[in-house]
Amino acid sequence: MDPVKNEKGEWVIPATRRPDGTWRKEKVLKEGYVPPDEVRAFETRASKDAALRAKKGVPGMPPPVEKPKPKFAEPKKKKEAELAVPVAAMAEVSISGPAAKEEAPADKDPKKRLKALKKKLREVLELSGKDQKDLTAEQLEKLSKKETIEAEILSLAEFDN
């Protein structure tokens, strides 16, 4: 309930009836009383500084200029040149299936490339020890690349020495 002035001139919260029928006493309010609903939340110095910085922006930088937005923005029109697909590019396209994974580009450091190739060769040698029937298509493909991996290792070994 809102405070009211009584006949003595004091601010009071009037008496109210409880659900069981009894009456609450009226409460006399002291001078300067602020109801809890109206008390402002406490702000730390850091939060005040952060809010001030957000308003001002970066120190030394001019404030950002905002462009007024039209009520109804027109959709962006794509350039006809972007939409037109060159005929040569269409000739190269095929619909055979998923693209095969390309080999990783050769590392600039031959030592790293040599280490990676030796790891691949170890994996291929492990696979060659297993039964061919149990291998997946990817594993069989890896086995078929054994000669190319060995040749590349030899070429890098000659380059390294």
Side-chain angles (χ1 to χ4, degrees):
M1 269 216 163
D2 293 330
V4 294
K5 275 193 175 183
N6 64 6
E7 54 278 343
K8 295 180 188 175
E10 299 173 322
W11 286 98
V12 294
I13 296 177
T16 57
R17 179 171 258 178
R18 295 185 184 106
D20 65 354
T22 58
W23 285 89
R24 291 183 186 93
K25 290 183 179 179
E26 68 177 25
K27 293 184 180 179
V28 178
L29 301 177
K30 294 183 180 178
E31 192 69 33
Y33 171 77
V34 179
D37 300 348
E38 298 174 13
V39 175
R40 285 185 30 212
F42 179 75
E43 291 183 43
T44 63
R45 188 177 304 152
S47 66
K48 288 178 185 177
D49 290 345
L52 186 63
R53 268 186 266 123
K55 286 181 184 176
K56 288 185 177 179
V58 178
M61 185 174 176
V65 179
E66 294 185 24
K67 296 178 184 177
K69 294 183 179 180
K71 287 186 179 180
F72 301 103
E74 294 181 23
K76 295 180 181 179
K77 296 180 181 177
K78 294 185 179 181
K79 296 179 183 177
E80 290 182 24
E82 290 179 17
L83 296 176
V85 180
V87 177
M90 290 297 289
E92 296 175 13
V93 175
S94 65
I95 310 175
S96 60
K101 293 181 184 176
E102 294 184 22
E103 288 291 319
D107 292 328
K108 292 180 182 178
D109 188 9
K111 290 181 182 179
K112 287 183 180 180
R113 181 70 180 148
L114 186 62
K115 184 178 177 182
L117 288 170
K118 285 182 179 179
K119 180 181 177 185
K120 283 185 180 181
L121 185 62
R122 270 196 313 270
E123 292 172 352
V124 168
L125 292 175
E126 276 183 35
L127 290 174
S128 63
K130 294 183 178 179
D131 189 18
Q132 298 284 330
K133 297 174 188 173
D134 298 336
L135 300 178
T136 63
E138 291 174 355
Q139 292 171 330
L140 291 171
E141 185 180 339
K142 196 180 268 191
L143 275 175
S144 67
K145 294 182 181 179
K146 180 180 178 183
E147 291 80 25
T148 57
I149 293 172
E150 288 175 339
E152 198 171 343
I153 288 175
L154 289 174
S155 67
L156 282 174
E158 290 172 6
F159 178 74
D160 196 30
N161 293 335

